[in-house]
Amino acid sequence: MRELSVVGVRVELPSNQPIVLLREVDGDRYLPIWIGAVEATAIAYEQQGVKPARPLTHDLLRDILAALQAPLRAVEITELKDNVFYADLLIGEDLRVSARPSDSIALALRVGAPIRCADQVLTEAGIVIPDEQEDEVEKFREFLDQVRPEDFAG
């Protein structure tokens, strides 16, 4: 397993499909995962520090885990099968729960849990951005600083 950080979310054109972009902490590969608009909004809200008037589903799950004293230890993106990513939530001492990566990432951001990815998944779906494209990554980061969660509302 390799640890990843969340670069951010954006809308892929022309399909208007949101993606979350992850990057290897100790490497140079990026992992783009296409996600739903609701999950994109949840991730963007947390990254931007937006606190909605009422808890979102991921906030509720964070609060339930805290009330049960069952901390989220990590998120693991475990598999890519038929272009679908799979992830597990590692909860408490020995509980593993299957979940969508988008929901897992939104929850991990809320509790500060590490996000890890199987080497095989990174080998299959990871991309290396050449140095000349690093400017594009910087533009993407600038875009993330400007984007509002409402931009992902369908």
Side-chain angles (χ1 to χ4, degrees):
M1 289 281 172
R2 307 283 296 185
E3 187 166 347
L4 304 176
S5 63
V6 180
V7 175
V9 293
R10 66 173 279 212
V11 175
E12 182 74 7
L13 297 175
S15 67
N16 285 333
Q17 179 72 33
I19 66 167
V20 61
L21 186 63
L22 306 166
R23 183 173 191 203
E24 267 184 302
V25 170
D26 294 321
D28 57 358
R29 291 179 289 185
Y30 290 82
L31 183 66
I33 300 177
W34 279 257
I35 62 175
V38 172
E39 294 79 14
T41 300
I43 291 168
Y45 270 6
E46 190 60 28
Q47 283 197 304
Q48 295 177 1
V50 174
K51 300 299 179 203
R54 300 292 301 142
L56 300 177
T57 304
H58 304 96
D59 301 316
L60 175 62
L61 186 51
R62 174 201 59 212
D63 295 346
I64 289 171
L65 290 173
L68 294 173
Q69 297 180 355
L72 178 65
R73 292 187 296 110
V75 163
E76 292 183 349
I77 300 169
T78 57
E79 189 176 11
L80 174 61
K81 187 178 356 175
D82 299 324
N83 293 321
V84 176
F85 289 90
Y86 293 82
D88 287 338
L89 302 173
L90 279 59
I91 300 171
E93 294 301 315
D94 59 359
L95 186 60
R96 184 177 285 265
V97 177
S98 179
R100 295 182 304 184
S102 55
D103 290 321
S104 302
I105 292 164
L107 183 59
L109 288 173
R110 282 163 170 74
V111 302
I115 300 166
R116 297 191 285 254
C117 185
D119 287 324
Q120 180 178 342
V121 172
L122 274 172
T123 299
E124 189 174 339
I127 57 174
V128 175
I129 298 177
D131 289 340
E132 61 268 11
Q133 291 183 359
E134 284 295 325
D135 287 341
E136 291 299 316
V137 173
E138 187 56 38
K139 288 179 188 174
F140 179 56
R141 287 188 177 121
E142 290 173 13
F143 165 79
L144 293 174
D145 291 338
Q146 304 296 323
V147 72
R148 298 180 328 251
E150 295 80 28
D151 294 336
F152 298 104

